[in-house]
Amino acid sequence: MSNFETLLYEEFLAEGLGFLRPSPQAEHDEVSHQLDAHSVHPFIPDWARKKLESLRHKDTFAHALRGARVERIHPGDVGSIHNASSWGEVDREKQKRVQAKVEYGDKLDMPIVLHHRASGEKYLLAGNSRLAYNSGVKKRPTPAVHIDV
């Protein structure tokens, strides 16, 4: 399969699982939120912090998101991703919001992951509640957009 065919296939699988590729406009604020929220107690790896700083510019973020590949995250791998939580750790209001969307048949935006190619480490940029729900409650792989660093 070509890269383009693989991309289409992964997007097709994601949609079948109830997920869509997130729009840059909807998720861009998460970049600043991550950097601001974790500035006091930094636990963002240096490689992720540098990438987040570069993604503060909306055009850079949009370009990175459009060029990112879709890859599934298996439930057993969630614990190895920086900034990812289990379903029990997710705020109750966020749990209710995700569950209501699923019950109404709404598609969810795929989580966004930064992937450090050299080390294999991953950092969850957006979609913690969606990832925790799909892996913790549904017990199935979650399609996620992976931005390589």
Side-chain angles (χ1 to χ4, degrees):
M1 240 189 268
S2 71
N3 286 344
F4 181 70
E5 289 171 325
T6 301
L7 176 69
L8 288 177
Y9 178 69
E10 288 295 333
E11 299 256 352
F12 171 75
L13 288 177
E15 193 165 330
L17 291 172
F19 286 87
L20 297 172
R21 183 175 281 270
S23 76
Q25 297 79 15
E27 296 288 356
H28 181 259
D29 288 345
E30 193 63 29
V31 174
S32 293
H33 170 73
Q34 290 291 324
L35 288 168
D36 295 342
H38 302 301
S39 63
V40 177
H41 301 290
F43 72 92
I44 301 174
D46 286 337
W47 60 266
R49 183 177 299 284
K50 289 176 187 171
K51 186 63 174 183
L52 288 170
E53 288 291 348
S54 75
L55 294 174
R56 275 195 197 253
H57 190 275
K58 286 185 179 186
D59 290 339
T60 304
F61 180 75
H63 179 73
L65 200 56
R66 278 192 303 272
R69 73 186 185 292
V70 174
E71 189 175 293
R72 284 167 279 171
I73 299 171
H74 294 276
D77 296 335
V78 173
S80 66
I81 300 173
H82 295 283
N83 201 35
S85 304
S86 69
W87 184 242
E89 297 171 314
V90 173
D91 176 74
R92 295 300 262 172
E93 288 304 311
K94 289 183 179 182
Q95 286 183 0
K96 289 177 187 176
R97 193 169 55 232
V98 169
Q99 287 176 315
K101 284 184 142 203
V102 172
E103 287 172 11
Y104 291 127
D106 292 345
K107 297 215 183 269
L108 303 173
D109 286 341
M110 285 184 250
I112 302 171
V113 173
L114 301 180
H115 175 240
H116 190 245
R117 290 179 300 218
S119 67
E121 287 183 271
K122 294 180 180 181
Y123 180 85
L124 183 64
L125 168 58
N128 186 49
S129 302
R130 293 165 270 171
L131 175 62
Y133 176 80
N134 203 54
S135 62
V137 176
K138 293 293 188 180
K139 308 276 190 234
R140 63 183 183 196
T142 305
V145 176
H146 284 66
I147 298 173
D148 285 329
V149 178

